[in-house]
Each structure stands twice: as C-alpha cells, then as structure tokens.
C-alpha cells in the first residue's frame, strides 16, 4: 500500500506506527541520512565533559575533546564491542574499556592497548581502531549530528526552518542557556505520534487540553474552544517545508482583525516583560519582528524527530501570583521500539533576561509541558498510549489508514508573510503533518 495517497500524504498506513519491520527500514532510510539533535554545547562546556545520547539506533558519547571540539563517538569498543561509557554524563580524561582495557582519547583515537608490544604482531596499527565518529555541527548551541558522510551540510538540511528557529532565538535578545540535563520520559506509542503532534496539531487543544484551558493557563477559552483572551481571535499560520520541517505560529489579535492589522511600530512579545519589548525588537530584523510580534505560541518540528515549542502562559498552575511568562523547550523523540518512545526535554532561557525571570520560565515549563508537569504531557501521553493500544490490538482497524486531511485545500496563503516556506492560515489544519509525512514517505518508499 502506498504511504501517501496521490502524493500528498493525506493518509498513512497504520502499520507505520506499530510494526518493528517498519522501524528497521526507518533506521536506514529516515534516520541514517538525517541530522538529529544530540543536545546542547552548554551540557559539555569543559574538555572531558560528556553526555551519552542516541544517534539513530546507536549510542554515542558526546564529548568535548582537549581540542575544544565536540565529538560524537560510537559508544562501543573497537576490540570486542563492549559498551564503553555506562554513566549518562560526567567528565573524563579518556574512555577505558572495562573488558581488556583498551583506552581511547576524547577525540576517539585509540591511545592505549595493554600488552601491545608483547601480544600483537608488529603490523598492528592503533590508528585503524579509533572509535567511529559522527559528523557534529554546533549551531547556536544546538549540537546536531549525522552518521551519513553524504548528508548535505546542516544549513542546507535545515533549509527554511532555520529562519524560524533564528527568529525565535533572536527574540530572546542574545544567547540562550540550557537549564541542566534534559528531562527524560518514556511513553507508549510510535515516535511519529508525538512528532506529528508538535508539527502542527492545534486541533487537539480543545479536547485533550480542555482542563488546562479551563484553568486559564492561556487566558480565557474562546468561543470556538481555542485559547486566548476575551475579545480576541487566535490566528494560526502553518508553514511547511519540502524537507519535512514545519512550524505553526498562533497570534492572538482583537476579534475580527487580520495579521496585517498588527501595529508593528509597537511590537508586542507575549510572555516577555513589556519593559523589554523595545530591546527584543531591536535584536531582530524587521522581518523577524513581523513573525514574532503578537505571537502567543510557536511550535514545530525539525525532521525527523526534533521538536520545539515557544509559548506564553498567563499563569502556572500552583503559582497563581506569577505574572505572564514565556518558555522555550526543545525535544527529541527517540524510538525505543516501534511502539515506545523516549522523550528528552531541554529548557532554554535567554541569558539577557534576569535570573528571576529565567527561573520562572523554567518553572512554568517544568510544571506544564514536561515529564512531571501538570496537564499537558499527561493528557497527551494518555492519548498516545491509547493510539498505540488500539492500533496494535485491533486487526480490523489496521486495514483503515490514518487520516491527515484536516484543512486540506482550505488554508489561505499569507501573501507577504515575512518568513520562507509555504505559509497558510488555517487555525485547524493538518497542513504541517502532511508535509512531515510526505517527506517521511518519500524517504521510506512503499511499505513492503
Ligand atoms: Fe574492549 Fe576488549 S572489548 S578492550
Ligand atoms: Fe498536546
């Protein structure tokens, strides 16, 4: 069965979410040629600092070498294959295998072999036994990596989505700092389920997250069930790129107005303190301001499995006195199997903001959109698990494809939208998910 009907990926075969044989193909055709997020340079600041992460199906030691560069080394000894590094993070002068003691430098070179002179033939060449290294690029503190020597450069790979990421980061008026190691949680369900959710699913808000909306976490619930403040409309713009990356940005505007009606001589950055708005605008280009001004929430996906969310909150549950705040969370959705996913969450805070604001931003993120948060993750994960259970157990259900037609053909192009890519307004649309699955199905080919 073809994965995308008429090439637009409006339906997906349900086996794509449950079958291990499909994941086996995905490792080679989707993950292998892609750039994936390993973490942030702030996690490995000093020479010898390391974290252990997944790159595709392989574990890598992400380590800062004595040369100051960050390396991603296959976490497997080149002698018998023993897992070298068993801690999830730390600092080390070298990596020494627990089996026979081969020792590797922090850049992957084999530098020590017990009994090398007495036990190995003279032709034994240590240089041939270095740890395999992935390509690593640090972009604005984000550590991206790929195993594929043929993969395009990161900038080419990111394409248009880089513009939107930069706009969100520049809106912080400086550099960003990662708040410690990521939170990690396992969820039932295929890795594509949370990923397509982040690509652009505004549709589930009114049902899945109605409790959060009722609590006023985003201000008032509007008549159409979306969030916002009384007297406002939420206007969402969906932007998809041919690479499968996507972003959805939503703007709360006075009822009846259009995006063009915003007064950009007085830009607004919801969640940031109004006294900082002039500085924030100055840190961006006029085009970036046209994207970020009045934006309540922006979320999206860097294909295949990196997601991001920048959102303003009116209040955090349990901290009703806290003023309006914003947070930025970056996520990786890592397949553990076809039916289980590990989610990593990193919170980033702008260094230009004062420490109290940074703490509040981190707290809002941790209390809502995180493994231990109230409402959002619990609500979403419950649905992801239900999807998994139903798809896996229901034989009749396997024959009907998953539908992606919401808003198809109904979006309105946004002429003059400041960013690249195909932008259209439709508050409820699966435009971005179609782009994500279209890229995925192009890489995968037809299912066997
Ligand atoms: Fe690592 Fe033998 S397996 S030194
Ligand atoms: Fe959700």
């Amino acid at each position: 069965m073809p994965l995308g009907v008429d090439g637009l990926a409006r339906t997906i075969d349900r086996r794509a979410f449950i079958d291990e044989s499909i994941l086996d193909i995905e490792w080679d055709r989707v993950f292998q040629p892609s750039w994936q997020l390993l973490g942030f340079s702030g996690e490995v600041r000093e020479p010898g600092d390391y974290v252990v992460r997944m790159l595709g199906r392989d574990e890598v030691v992400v380590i800062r070498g004595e040369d100051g560069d960050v390396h991603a080394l296959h976490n497997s000894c080149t002698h018998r294959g023993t897992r070298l590094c068993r801690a999830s993070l730390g600092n080390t002068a070298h990596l020494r295998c627990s089996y026979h003691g081969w020792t590797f430098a922090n850049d992957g070179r084999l530098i020590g072999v017990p009994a090398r002179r007495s036990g190995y033939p003279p032709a034994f060449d240590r240089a041939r036994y270095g740890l395999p290294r992935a390509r690593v690029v640090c972009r604005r503190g984000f550590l991206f990596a790929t195993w594929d020597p043929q993969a395009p450069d990161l900038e080419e790979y990111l394409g248009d989505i880089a513009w939107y990421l930069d706009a969100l980061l520049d809106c912080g008026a400086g550099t960003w700092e990662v708040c410690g190691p990521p939170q990690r949680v396992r969820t039932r369900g295929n890795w594509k389920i949370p990923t397509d959710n982040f690509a652009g699913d505004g549709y589930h808000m009114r049902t899945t997250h109605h409790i959060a909306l009722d609590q006023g976490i985003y201000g008032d619930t509007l008549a159409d069930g979306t969030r916002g403040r009384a007297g406002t409309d939420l206007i969402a713009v969906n932007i998809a790129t041919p690479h499968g990356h996507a972003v959805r940005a939503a703007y709360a505007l006075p009822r009846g107005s259009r995006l063009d009606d915003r007064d950009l001589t007085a830009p607004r950055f919801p969640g940031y303190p109004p006294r900082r708005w002039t500085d924030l605008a100055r840190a961006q280009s006029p085009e970036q301001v046209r994207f970020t001004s009045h934006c309540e929430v922006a979320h999206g996906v860097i294909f295949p499995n990196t997601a991001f969310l920048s959102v303003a909150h009116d209040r955090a549950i349990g901290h009703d006195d806290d003023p309006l705040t914003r947070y930025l969370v970056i996520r990786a959705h890592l397949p553990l199997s076809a039916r289980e996913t590990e989610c990593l969450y990193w919170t980033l805070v702008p260094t230009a903001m004062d420490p109290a604001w940074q703490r509040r931003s981190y707290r809002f993120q941790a209390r809502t959109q995180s493994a231990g948060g109230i409402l959002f993750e619990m609500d979403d994960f419950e649905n992801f698990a239900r999807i998994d259970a139903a798809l896996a157990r229901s034989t009749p259900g396997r024959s009907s494809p998953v539908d992606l037609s919401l808003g198809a053909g109904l979006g309105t192009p946004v002429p003059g939208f400041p960013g690249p890519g195909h932008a259209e307004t439709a508050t409820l649309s699966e435009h971005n998910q179609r782009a994500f699955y279209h890229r995925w199905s192009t890489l995968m080919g037809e299912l066997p």
Side-chain angles (χ1 to χ4, degrees), residues 161 195 198-200 246-248 298-302 306-309 432:
I161 200 70
T195 308
F198 268 79
V247 58
R248 175 179 180 270
H299 56 91
V301 160
I302 301 168
T306 303
F308 56 91
L309 167 71
N432 289 3

Side-chain angles (χ1 to χ4, degrees), residues 197 204 209 369 376 380:
N197 178 281
H204 76 299
H209 300 308
Q369 199 93 32
F376 286 92
D380 283 325

Side-chain angles (χ1 to χ4, degrees), residues 118-134:
S118 59
Y120 281 94
F124 179 84
D125 181 6
R126 281 192 315 200
R128 292 180 48 224
Y129 292 89
L131 298 173
R133 292 200 302 197

Side-chain angles (χ1 to χ4, degrees), residues 5-151:
V5 173
D6 63 22
L8 294 174
R10 290 185 183 169
T11 60
I12 296 289
D13 189 316
R14 290 183 175 219
R15 289 175 298 157
F17 301 95
I18 51 175
D19 278 7
E20 295 300 333
S21 63
I22 304 284
L23 179 60
D24 277 342
I25 301 172
E26 286 178 318
W27 288 129
D28 293 335
R29 297 185 186 173
V30 173
F31 288 95
Q32 173 69 16
S34 297
W35 287 88
Q36 295 154 67
L37 182 69
L38 293 178
F40 290 84
S41 62
E43 296 183 86
V44 286
R45 273 183 213 286
E46 304 297 329
D49 283 358
Y50 70 87
V51 294
V52 174
R53 298 282 152 74
M54 297 303 294
L55 179 58
R57 71 176 114 194
D58 296 303
E59 197 171 66
V60 290
V61 183
V62 183
I63 188 164
R64 191 173 293 277
E66 300 303 321
D67 53 5
D69 289 342
V70 177
H71 307 284
L73 310 173
H74 190 211
N75 192 17
S76 174
C77 178
T78 48
H79 181 219
R80 279 294 190 288
T82 306
R83 187 179 184 220
L84 283 170
C85 189
R86 285 177 278 184
S88 62
L89 57 84
N91 181 283
T92 187
H94 52 255
L95 299 165
R96 185 170 185 272
C97 180
S98 60
Y99 197 177
H100 309 96
W102 282 23
T103 302
F104 301 87
N106 288 347
D107 59 6
R109 285 174 298 121
L110 177 62
I111 53 173
V113 177
R116 182 169 70 93
R117 287 181 205 283
S118 59
Y120 281 94
F124 179 84
D125 181 6
R126 281 192 315 200
R128 292 180 48 224
Y129 292 89
L131 298 173
R133 292 200 302 197
R135 291 168 66 192
V136 178
V137 172
C138 181
R139 186 185 193 278
R140 301 193 68 159
F142 291 57
L143 295 171
F144 285 98
T146 179
W147 287 117
D148 187 355
Q150 310 299 328

Side-chain angles (χ1 to χ4, degrees), residues 49-354:
D49 283 358
Y50 70 87
V51 294
V52 174
R53 298 282 152 74
M54 297 303 294
L55 179 58
R57 71 176 114 194
D58 296 303
E59 197 171 66
V60 290
V61 183
V62 183
I63 188 164
R64 191 173 293 277
E66 300 303 321
D67 53 5
D69 289 342
V70 177
H71 307 284
L73 310 173
H74 190 211
N75 192 17
S76 174
C77 178
T78 48
H79 181 219
R80 279 294 190 288
T82 306
R83 187 179 184 220
L84 283 170
C85 189
R86 285 177 278 184
S88 62
L89 57 84
N91 181 283
T92 187
H94 52 255
L95 299 165
R96 185 170 185 272
C97 180
S98 60
Y99 197 177
H100 309 96
W102 282 23
T103 302
F104 301 87
N106 288 347
D107 59 6
R109 285 174 298 121
L110 177 62
I111 53 173
V113 177
R116 182 169 70 93
R117 287 181 205 283
S118 59
Y120 281 94
F124 179 84
D125 181 6
R126 281 192 315 200
R128 292 180 48 224
Y129 292 89
L131 298 173
R133 292 200 302 197
R135 291 168 66 192
V136 178
V137 172
C138 181
R139 186 185 193 278
R140 301 193 68 159
F142 291 57
L143 295 171
F144 285 98
T146 179
W147 287 117
D148 187 355
Q150 310 299 328
D153 289 346
L154 179 66
E155 288 302 319
E156 185 185 339
Y157 179 85
L158 293 175
D160 293 342
I161 200 70
W163 189 93
Y164 294 97
L165 273 181
D166 287 343
L168 293 175
L169 295 173
D170 289 341
C171 192
T175 57
W176 291 69
E177 195 164 324
V178 64
C179 299
Q183 303 154 62
R184 315 169 79 117
V185 64
R186 289 178 172 213
T187 175
R188 293 299 311 172
N190 183 271
W191 67 275
K192 295 186 289 301
I193 295 171
T195 308
D196 98 35
N197 178 281
F198 268 79
D201 198 318
Y203 191 30
H204 76 299
M205 289 296 293
R206 66 179 65 184
T207 308
T208 298
H209 300 308
H210 72 92
I211 295 176
L213 301 178
D214 293 346
Q215 300 295 317
I217 203 164
Y218 290 139
D220 305 316
T221 302
L222 302 180
D224 68 355
T226 54
R227 67 174 178 83
R229 291 170 196 90
T232 66
D233 284 334
L234 194 73
I235 297 176
V237 181
N238 305 294
I239 304 112
T241 78
H243 301 87
H245 318 308
V247 58
R248 175 179 180 270
Y251 302 82
L253 302 176
R255 184 145 298 158
S257 52
R258 298 169 312 155
L259 215 49
D260 285 349
D261 297 334
R262 291 173 297 167
D263 178 7
L264 295 178
T265 61
R268 305 171 61 86
F269 303 105
Y272 291 114
R275 63 186 158 75
R276 297 299 314 275
W277 288 355
T278 307
D279 289 343
L280 299 180
R282 243 185 243 131
Q284 301 171 81
S285 69
E287 290 75 25
Q288 287 178 323
V289 171
R290 283 167 61 203
F291 172 63
T292 56
S293 180
H294 298 70
C295 179
E296 298 271 335
V297 55
H299 56 91
V301 160
I302 301 168
F303 189 90
N305 64 334
T306 303
F308 56 91
L309 167 71
S310 167
V311 60
H313 273 212
D314 268 26
R315 74 183 64 110
I317 306 299
H319 288 79
D320 283 356
D321 295 334
D322 274 347
L324 187 67
T325 291
R326 192 171 191 97
Y327 63 76
L328 173 63
V329 61
I330 313 293
R331 304 165 51 122
H333 300 150
L334 307 167
L336 297 172
S337 71
R339 296 181 50 201
E340 193 174 19
T341 302
E342 182 173 46
C343 299
L344 271 59
Y345 312 67
W346 295 266
T347 308
L348 302 185
V349 291
T351 53
M353 302 299 289
D354 65 74

